[in-house]
Amino acid sequence: MADTAIRLRNVQLTLGAGHGAVHVLKGMDLSVARGESVGILGPSGSGKSTLLMVLAGLERADSGLVEVAGQSLEGLSEDQLAAFRGRNIGIVFQSFHLIPNMTALENVAVPLELAGHADAFGRAARELAAVGLKDRVNHYPGALSGGEQQRVALARALAPEPAILIADEPTGNLDSDTGARVADLLFDEVRRRHMTMVLVTHDSSLAARCARQVSVRDGRILESAGLDAGVPA
Ligand SMILES: Nc1ncnc2c1ncn2[C@@H]1O[C@H](COP(=O)(O)OP(=O)(O)OP(=O)(O)O)[C@@H](O)[C@H]1O
Ligand SMILES: [Mg+2]
């Protein structure tokens, strides 16, 4: 369906092996329309990050349907998954995941270059300017504040112009003021670029900025509701 960006049906996943095996996703169902933003809430360990990994093709479901941007991820090789991700999905993590011995500019440009982009450094510079880091392009991550590092990570995620943005606790490592500014930027850019977003957060006010909120409990989507989606203890 062209209007559905993400479709999960009865997705099951066990991680680990033997006595360490954990049945993490226990029949996840989720549909996200193109251009929709969904905020995912839920207790620690409920499977939120694992769900994002499956959506991004970084973990394979054991069974069930995983369809992203009209493409079933089942049966794609690792190389095909990587290429698919590069074209369609931007990812922002809680802990930034920048490469420490590359400047801000290189962190954004090198993945573009590897993907064969003709003007990787020009595009990277423009993306960094768009997130307010024009004066920080030659800084290494260690010389940037947490909020600045997350803005670099956001620029890196947005630079290939993916249709889908996946964010796992993007403000979780930031103080509340810095987090609020990064969140403003994130929502502005997603709106401006008409992207689909799946955002995992423990912050219900951040989730409330998404068009829809969903709760994950013990490996399942518990509810899919409007702004008042309750998260009882
Ligand atoms: N490689 C693994 N082997 C075994 N169990 C794992 C593995 N990775 C994750 N798990 C388990 O899967 C469950 C879900 O983990 P996940 O990271 O998805 O939770 P989460 O909802 O994102 O939690 P948090 O809010 O703390 O980030 C946890 O109980 C975790 O211990
Ligand atoms: Mg998590």
Side-chain angles (χ1 to χ4, degrees), residues 14-17 20-25 42-51 59 94 168-169 200 202 216:
T14 295
L15 290 173
V22 178
H23 190 188
V24 183
L25 302 184
S44 185
S46 57
K48 306 181 299 297
S49 294
T50 306
L51 166 65
E59 287 283 357
Q94 176 172 359
D168 196 351
E169 298 269 9
V200 163
H202 285 283
V216 172

Side-chain angles (χ1 to χ4, degrees), residues 59-77:
E59 287 283 357
R60 275 180 203 278
D62 293 333
S63 63
L65 174 79
V66 180
E67 210 176 82
V68 181
Q71 166 83 54
S72 168
L73 302 192
E74 194 189 350
L76 294 188
S77 68

